[in-house]
């Protein structure tokens, strides 16, 4: 069986063992788990669970605030994990490795599904429940999530104004600026389609990637052609479907968010200074991978 090597430059958090050593230990233990360790348990050394569980600092003793805080943290982790997969997918697409890019895209869609399930942890919250601790959050809002912006940027939703809140956090700001200057997954897809012989205008392929892509009829036509071949070797069609799944799951997150907002604060203004619901509805109107949706009318 193929074994992955330890990442170069990485110190093993736990001591690696072979299958044979594992079997010998289980035999020595008589089938029971190991209970004695010289240092901290290897699980904690790898997962850093004790650090993770120290990262919750609720502002009140309100019994519901902890779920609001932890659901937000869980979602942050999922934003980061999805970004990780999309970065890998973009890298593989840049190298014309379409088949291999399907795996990280599938993982991204599944992580987004997990992210969406996390909304259930907030369904109990009525306006009265939220109001009990809402003021304590001050101007804090998910709108200021840098990782969510990374996710949007990778999906091709690019509004450079939205990195302004991070001007005083040099490192975060620099990372977001770099992300804006890096082609999105959709930019990589368009370049790939052009390399596969689909005629796309040069100004589309050479545009400033920091600016949001405008839907284009040539891209739509390319997808109509790609989807016309339903054969098993048509990897571009599989790519189209994998991307559609990612876009749909991301759309579901936005939809669930709006529902959570309606449920817990109606149309009140947002903590982040926006009009709240109306602002979110405008933000949601921006479509991820737009031509993959519009092309379906012509199929
Ligand atoms: C019931 C709970 C929630 C309410 C009432 C709520 C409310 C809002 C509001 C009103 C906005 C608009 C900006 C503003 O604050 O003025 C917003 C934006 C946002 N919120 Fe929430 N939120 C909730 C839960 C969450 C959670 C758990 C997350 C996960 C981290 C989150 C992430 C975001 C993000 C990423 C945005 C920016 C969306 C965009 O740019 O389109 N929110 N939220």
């Amino acid at each position: 069986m193929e074994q992955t090597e330890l990442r170069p430059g990485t110190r093993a958090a736990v001591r690696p063992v072979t299958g044979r050593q594992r079997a010998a230990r289980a035999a020595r233990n008589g089938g029971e788990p190991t209970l004695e360790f010289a240092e901290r348990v290897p699980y904690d050394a790898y997962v850093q669970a004790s650090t993770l569980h120290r990262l919750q600092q609720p502002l009140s003793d309100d019994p519901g605030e902890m779920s609001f805080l932890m659901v937000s943290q869980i979602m942050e982790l999922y934003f980061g994990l999805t970004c990780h997969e999309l970065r890998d997918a973009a890298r593989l697409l840049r190298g014309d490795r379409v088949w291999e890019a399907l795996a990280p895209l599938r993982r991204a869609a599944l992580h987004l599904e997990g992210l969406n399930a996390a909304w259930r942890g907030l369904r109990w919250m009525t306006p009265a429940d939220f109001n009990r601790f809402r003021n304590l959050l001050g101007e804090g809002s998910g709108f200021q999530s840098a990782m969510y912006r990374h996710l949007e940027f990778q999906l091709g939703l690019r509004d450079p104004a939205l990195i302004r809140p991070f001007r005083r956090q040099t490192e975060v700001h620099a990372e977001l600026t770099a992300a804006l200057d890096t082609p999105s997954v959709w930019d990589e897809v368009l370049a790939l389609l052009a390399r596969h012989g689909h005629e796309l205008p040069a100004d589309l392929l050479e545009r400033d990637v920091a600016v949001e892509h405008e839907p284009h009829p040539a891209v739509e036509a390319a997808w109509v052609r790609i989807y016309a071949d339903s054969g098993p070797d048509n990897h571009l069609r599989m790519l189209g479907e994998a991307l559609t799944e990612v876009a749909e799951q991301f759309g579901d997150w936005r939809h669930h968010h709006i529902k959570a907002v309606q449920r817990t604060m109606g149309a009140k203004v947002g903590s982040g200074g926006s009009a709240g619901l109306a602002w979110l509805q405008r933000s949601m109107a921006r479509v991820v991978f737009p031509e993959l949706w519009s092309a379906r009318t012509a199929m």
Side-chain angles (χ1 to χ4, degrees):
M1 200 207 307
E2 198 185 320
Q3 289 287 309
T4 303
E5 296 293 315
L6 195 64
R7 253 177 150 187
T10 307
R11 202 176 56 83
V14 293
R15 196 165 319 166
V17 293
T18 64
R20 189 182 300 218
Q21 287 168 325
R22 217 172 7 250
R25 179 163 323 119
R28 268 200 313 278
N29 286 356
E32 295 297 318
T34 306
L35 299 177
E36 296 295 336
F37 295 96
E39 298 164 62
R40 80 165 154 158
V41 298
Y43 173 80
D44 196 50
Y46 178 58
V47 176
Q48 309 264 358
S50 50
T51 307
L52 264 179
H53 291 298
R54 272 196 291 271
L55 291 176
Q56 291 77 43
Q57 292 165 22
L59 299 166
S60 70
D61 290 328
D62 186 90
E65 193 204 331
M66 188 58 104
S67 42
F68 179 76
L69 173 58
M70 285 191 79
V71 167
S72 301
Q73 290 182 330
I74 289 162
M75 287 192 180
E76 273 293 327
L77 288 175
Y78 270 123
F79 294 158
L81 181 55
T82 310
C83 281
H84 169 82
E85 305 291 7
L86 292 179
R87 242 189 324 271
D88 201 34
R91 177 185 66 83
L92 291 163
L93 292 172
R94 204 172 310 131
D96 278 324
R97 295 156 71 181
V98 179
W99 176 256
E100 288 163 82
L102 296 178
L105 287 173
R106 169 132 178 83
R107 286 198 295 269
L110 290 169
H111 300 325
L112 287 169
E113 217 178 307
L115 167 74
N116 291 334
W119 281 116
R120 287 194 206 130
L122 289 180
R123 287 243 188 95
W124 55 272
M125 203 156 77
T126 65
D129 293 323
F130 187 37
N131 286 343
R132 267 199 302 280
F133 61 87
R134 187 181 179 196
N135 289 351
L136 299 176
L137 305 173
E139 286 191 274
S141 163
F143 170 78
Q144 300 142 11
S145 161
M147 197 52 82
Y148 182 80
R149 290 301 155 219
H150 275 287
L151 184 54
E152 279 201 341
F153 290 173
Q154 280 183 328
L155 292 170
L157 300 178
R158 296 190 164 202
D159 181 350
L162 297 184
I163 67 173
R164 271 181 60 195
F166 307 100
R167 266 186 309 176
R168 307 274 186 271
Q169 287 168 267
T170 358
E171 206 174 317
V172 179
H173 192 266
E175 283 165 0
L176 281 166
T177 308
L180 260 186
D181 289 335
T182 307
S184 69
V185 170
W186 196 235
D187 290 320
E188 295 295 358
V189 168
L190 300 191
L192 177 93
L193 296 188
R195 291 197 297 276
H196 277 251
H198 294 278
E199 263 183 48
L200 301 182
D203 56 347
L204 198 67
L205 299 167
E206 288 154 21
R207 67 188 191 87
D208 174 8
V209 295
V211 180
E212 195 155 308
H213 159 82
E214 291 283 337
H216 197 286
V219 179
E220 195 179 293
W223 284 113
V224 174
R225 275 193 304 277
I226 290 164
Y227 270 72
D229 170 7
S230 56
D233 297 329
N234 185 357
H235 292 176
L236 287 182
R237 184 172 161 279
M238 292 177 205
L239 173 66
E241 284 301 277
L243 292 164
T244 303
E245 191 57 31
V246 169
E248 182 160 336
Q249 291 294 340
F250 181 71
D252 285 354
W253 185 86
R254 292 160 116 192
H255 178 74
H256 287 307
H257 181 243
I258 287 223
K259 287 287 153 217
V261 170
Q262 282 180 313
R263 206 163 163 158
T264 55
M265 57 173 264
K268 296 189 193 95
V269 295
S271 309
S274 81
L277 196 58
W279 184 86
L280 283 168
Q281 275 157 345
R282 268 203 313 281
S283 168
M284 206 170 147
R286 300 172 305 151
V287 181
V288 172
F289 311 150
E291 295 94 334
L292 256 178
W293 297 101
S294 60
R296 285 160 202 268
T297 311
M299 287 178 192

